[in-house]
Amino acid sequence: MDHFMDMDDGFLQLENARYVLLTVPYDGTSTFVKGADKGPQAILNASDSLELYDVQYGCEACNAGIYTDHYDYDFSTPDAMVQSVYERVKHYQQLGKRIAMVGGEHSVSVGAIKAMSERYDNFSVLQIDAHADLRDDYHGSIYNHACVMCRAQDYARVVQVGIRNVCTEEQHNLVPENVFYAHEIYNNEDWMDRAVGRLTDNVYVTFDLDGLDPSILPATGTPLPGGLQWYPTLKFLDKVFRAKHVVGFDIVELCPQEGNYVSDVLAATLLYKMITMKEVCDSSCK
């Protein structure tokens, strides 16, 4: 499948689409389970199984149009990849499109975050993730997947949710009031409004799928127990979309497992949920 969801052709064309879905199949710096480069195609394939109508929100957000972009990014080096994503996001910003992205490993987010920071004032990043990703550099690159949030801090305030793995070298980059550790939030919802309150007016959401518990999404490059569950995650995202201006979002780090499509379908469903939330909160969904 070369586009997201089984929609009428009119909703798939760029000129008719409110959304552009960037597919970035990059897996150049991952250090444990390889396969994130297969994630975008797996999400597209799984999306064919989804219904267009969302029973929770009572609408078909796909009517806004979703164009799937298969650009030939420069993956020769991590630096080139970041610049290539940055330029592609800028291109679609100039066309007035709403931008979503699927990776690929988490480092693909850096170019998009940089582009968003240049377009929007009072800008912050919401990271949902198992890992802090705050190393200054790793394996000789500042654009390694383990450094993505350190790079994001160059452009924005970063609020981190679901974190449960931090190394000693990352401690000096942590901002304690902006970190919501999984072990502190798993059995309550009091944290949600506090986390939303730490975000600025304009928010980019970067969702590393290992932020979810591996019991519901095992197919990721660095799975870790103790992650977020489905409905609390959706409730939190709904709060974010309603309270803030979400300027873009991505889903990264799906590593498909042959013969097991549960994670692929979850990732595709999550992507469509986020598009639906955006449409509902902008009163565009009918």
Side-chain angles (χ1 to χ4, degrees):
M1 192 170 184
D2 61 359
H3 53 80
F4 185 66
M5 302 192 70
D6 185 16
M7 298 181 287
D8 291 340
D9 286 345
F11 297 121
L12 302 172
Q13 305 305 313
L14 178 60
E15 58 269 22
N16 300 329
R18 186 175 293 138
Y19 292 85
V20 168
L21 176 61
L22 304 180
T23 60
V24 190
Y26 179 72
D27 194 21
T29 76
S30 60
T31 50
F32 187 41
V33 178
K34 288 286 189 180
D37 56 321
K38 307 296 191 302
Q41 188 60 54
I43 290 172
L44 297 184
N45 292 343
S47 74
D48 189 43
S49 72
L50 305 183
E51 298 292 349
L52 304 180
Y53 180 78
D54 187 288
V55 296
Q56 178 181 355
Y57 291 101
C59 68
E60 291 188 357
C62 63
N63 290 339
I66 305 170
Y67 172 73
T68 304
D69 181 78
H70 294 278
Y71 183 68
D72 187 15
Y73 294 93
D74 183 353
F75 291 160
S76 58
T77 66
D79 307 56
M81 179 275 298
V82 168
Q83 181 64 22
S84 191
V85 172
Y86 165 80
E87 292 173 356
R88 198 62 176 166
V89 172
K90 297 286 278 189
H91 168 72
Y92 283 118
Q93 285 178 332
Q94 292 169 1
L95 296 180
K97 303 298 183 181
R98 295 176 177 174
I99 296 166
M101 182 168 64
V102 287
E105 62 167 69
H106 206 164
S107 58
V108 305
S109 304
V110 176
I113 291 169
K114 179 182 177 183
M116 295 292 177
S117 73
E118 293 176 354
R119 187 174 181 87
Y120 297 99
D121 296 326
N122 202 20
F123 174 68
S124 58
V125 175
L126 169 62
Q127 172 202 12
I128 296 177
D129 204 324
H131 308 86
D133 291 345
L134 285 172
R135 285 176 167 89
D136 295 310
D137 62 84
Y138 194 59
H139 289 193
S141 175
I142 65 171
Y143 294 119
N144 187 282
H145 72 102
C147 312
V148 59
M149 287 302 118
C150 189
R151 300 287 74 75
Q153 286 180 339
D154 294 338
Y155 308 112
R157 174 186 295 181
V158 175
V159 176
Q160 304 178 287
V161 170
I163 306 301
R164 49 200 189 274
N165 206 5
V166 181
C167 74
T168 301
E169 292 79 9
E170 295 172 301
Q171 296 289 330
H172 69 286
N173 288 324
L174 286 170
V175 181
E177 60 269 30
N178 291 341
V179 184
F180 294 81
Y181 292 104
H183 71 277
E184 296 177 343
I185 66 175
Y186 79 95
N187 62 349
N188 68 82
E189 296 182 354
D190 299 342
W191 63 274
M192 292 187 182
D193 289 336
R194 289 188 289 111
V196 172
R198 293 302 303 161
L199 295 165
T200 59
D201 291 341
N202 297 306
V203 178
Y204 183 86
V205 180
T206 180
F207 200 121
D208 186 329
L209 290 168
D210 66 30
L212 297 170
D213 193 78
S215 64
I216 64 171
L217 193 139
T220 187
T222 48
L224 202 65
L228 303 176
Q229 294 294 326
W230 180 245
Y231 282 111
T233 301
L234 293 185
K235 182 173 183 177
F236 173 58
L237 287 174
D238 183 85
K239 285 177 175 287
V240 173
F241 275 81
R242 291 185 187 277
K244 303 297 180 179
H245 178 213
V246 175
V247 301
F249 43 89
D250 66 52
I251 294 174
V252 297
E253 298 278 357
L254 176 69
C255 293
Q257 298 174 341
E258 186 175 356
N260 184 351
Y261 305 110
V262 171
S263 298
D264 308 358
V265 172
L266 188 153
T269 304
L270 177 63
L271 176 59
Y272 194 45
K273 278 287 186 185
M274 293 171 77
I275 291 172
T276 301
M277 289 176 188
K278 179 64 177 171
E279 286 298 291
V280 167
C281 294
D282 287 357
S283 299
S284 303
C285 199
K286 303 193 188 317

